[in-house]
Amino acid sequence: MNSPTAAGDRAARHLTPEDLAGLRAGLDEQLRFHRERSAGGRPAAPAPARMVVADVEAALRRMDEGRYGGCHRCGLPVERQRLLIVPQARYCAPCQRLRAAPRPATADPVPAAAAGHPVAGSATAGRRATGHQAADR
């Protein structure tokens, strides 16, 4: 994972101050929208809407704490394009695929989709193998 290509990939995913400002504005707008919809004596928001609000609030907290943009599972940066599309994303694309993959009871605990990702095994082993520490827990 220390190849020049990997280093370039990580650099390409880096968020600029302008990216962060735009992402914060989008998250603030989402939060305002959901809060306005649930205000004014309306019935409680459905569970999915409450989950979106919790995810947005958590992303804003991570921004405030300087921990935004790191994958919760492997600690690598979440891809810039992914964050621009889903600013509250907590996982990089490979780890999100791992989380979404069906888990057979007797099969290998790591789906084939993890091939090539530095943390195809446990998150701890992956951090040791790549030298990355998860900053966003």
Side-chain angles (χ1 to χ4, degrees):
M1 188 71 192
N2 292 330
S3 72
T5 304
D9 289 345
R10 279 193 301 274
R13 292 184 222 145
H14 179 71
L15 295 171
T16 66
E18 293 80 17
D19 289 337
L20 284 170
L23 290 165
R24 180 179 290 280
L27 287 165
D28 284 337
E29 181 61 31
Q30 278 190 59
L31 194 57
R32 221 176 357 266
F33 171 79
H34 285 288
R35 285 184 174 161
E36 286 172 5
R37 284 192 71 189
S38 64
R42 293 188 181 129
R50 288 192 306 269
M51 288 173 45
V52 168
V53 168
D55 286 346
V56 168
E57 288 173 339
L60 288 167
R61 261 192 316 279
R62 290 191 304 274
M63 280 184 175
D64 291 343
E65 297 167 354
R67 301 181 304 116
Y68 181 77
C71 176
H72 280 227
R73 184 172 185 275
C74 71
L76 293 174
V78 175
E79 300 83 358
R80 179 180 181 270
Q81 278 304 115
R82 178 166 168 72
L83 289 171
L84 293 174
I85 294 167
V86 184
Q88 66 270 28
R90 294 179 294 158
Y91 301 98
C92 65
C95 288
Q96 183 62 45
R97 281 191 296 276
L98 285 172
R99 289 180 48 79
R103 302 183 196 276
T106 58
D108 182 0
V110 179
H117 191 264
V119 292
S122 74
T124 304
R127 283 193 299 275
R128 267 188 253 126
T130 63
H132 291 284
Q133 296 297 318
D136 203 10
R137 293 191 181 242

